[in-house]
Amino acid sequence: MQRTKHIAIILSDTLQSTGLQSLIMDYFHPADISYYPDFTLFSKVASDHFDYYFTDAETFTINADFFLPRKMKACVLIHGKEIPSHSLTPYYIGIHAAQETIIEQMQHLFSVDSNPLPHEGNKELSARETDVLQLIVKGSTNKEIADKLNISLNTVLSHRKNITAKLGIKTVSGLTFYAIMNGVIAADDIEL
């Protein structure tokens, strides 16, 4: 007999929430699902009794202090068609993906032990690459990064290339998400 999964869905989009609930009940029963249209309502309940959390990228980022310690139990719904190819947590579900793909992604989340595994992400980056990543995430241009770190523009480009290759992340938004989730930078330090 399977253990009941206690799931919190924190989404302002009622239609997305309803569809997600339906998929979970149809394919991953037994599940006890609680729906919250915003994080404020969610934060008023005993939020640590959930096994899994489904939310959108904005809610995850704004409430990173809550989600980061639970990132192995969190799943972020993303609007883009390109789902990150790296091993970054939390788990992602592309809302425009085919139903079979969404079910496979959810199966992966539910099949992984919710105890966080040691994360090697920051160990892969050198100290200087981490410095460059912080400045990229803060919105600095390559020239500004070179000036702030007293390195050449070519060195900045080399570091960016290495960061992209090591993490498998090609977009600034992906790098930003990586940096926040791995404690490279605080969400408050990012200018929107």
Side-chain angles (χ1 to χ4, degrees):
M1 183 171 166
Q2 288 187 333
R3 184 178 78 80
T4 300
K5 299 167 197 64
H6 298 282
I7 299 170
I9 298 176
I10 310 154
L11 292 170
S12 59
D13 187 318
T14 305
L15 194 55
Q16 284 181 5
S17 173
T18 303
L20 187 57
Q21 289 179 56
S22 177
L23 285 173
I24 292 169
M25 294 308 291
D26 288 349
Y27 293 94
F28 301 101
H29 196 71
D32 176 32
I33 302 171
S34 299
Y35 167 66
Y36 305 93
D38 61 52
F39 192 83
T40 304
L41 291 173
F42 169 74
S43 65
K44 293 179 182 178
V45 301
S47 53
D48 273 332
H49 82 275
F50 292 105
D51 298 316
Y52 302 98
Y53 305 89
F54 288 82
T55 192
D56 56 29
E58 181 180 359
T59 302
F60 183 92
T61 304
I62 292 170
N63 302 288
D65 291 341
F66 173 81
F67 287 110
L68 285 178
R70 298 161 184 86
K71 65 184 177 182
M72 294 301 290
K73 301 187 325 180
C75 186
V76 177
L77 277 61
I78 59 173
H79 292 275
K81 294 182 181 183
E82 179 183 325
I83 294 180
S85 61
H86 46 80
S87 60
L88 184 62
T89 56
Y91 297 92
Y92 295 90
I93 293 179
I95 63 168
H96 299 294
Q99 181 175 331
E100 296 80 25
T101 303
I102 293 171
I103 291 168
E104 287 173 12
Q105 291 167 332
M106 291 171 66
Q107 178 65 44
H108 182 66
L109 170 66
F110 294 142
S111 68
V112 174
D113 185 18
S114 62
N115 294 326
L117 301 171
H119 186 70
E120 300 175 11
N122 287 348
K123 294 179 184 177
E124 293 180 10
L125 297 181
S126 70
R128 184 54 93 182
E129 289 167 343
T130 301
D131 293 340
V132 171
L133 176 60
Q134 288 172 336
L135 292 170
I136 291 169
V137 169
K138 287 181 180 180
S140 299
T141 65
N142 291 336
K143 174 79 170 109
E144 291 169 339
I145 294 170
D147 292 343
K148 288 177 185 177
L149 298 178
N150 294 318
I151 57 179
S152 73
L153 186 58
N154 284 339
T155 303
V156 172
L157 295 174
S158 292
H159 285 311
R160 286 186 80 132
K161 180 180 171 188
N162 291 340
I163 291 167
T164 299
K166 288 179 180 181
L167 301 179
I169 305 171
K170 297 179 182 178
T171 64
V172 173
S173 61
L175 290 172
T176 302
F177 219 63
Y178 172 87
I180 291 170
M181 292 187 325
N182 289 284
V184 174
I185 193 166
D188 296 340
D189 294 338
I190 300 171
E191 295 180 21
L192 299 176

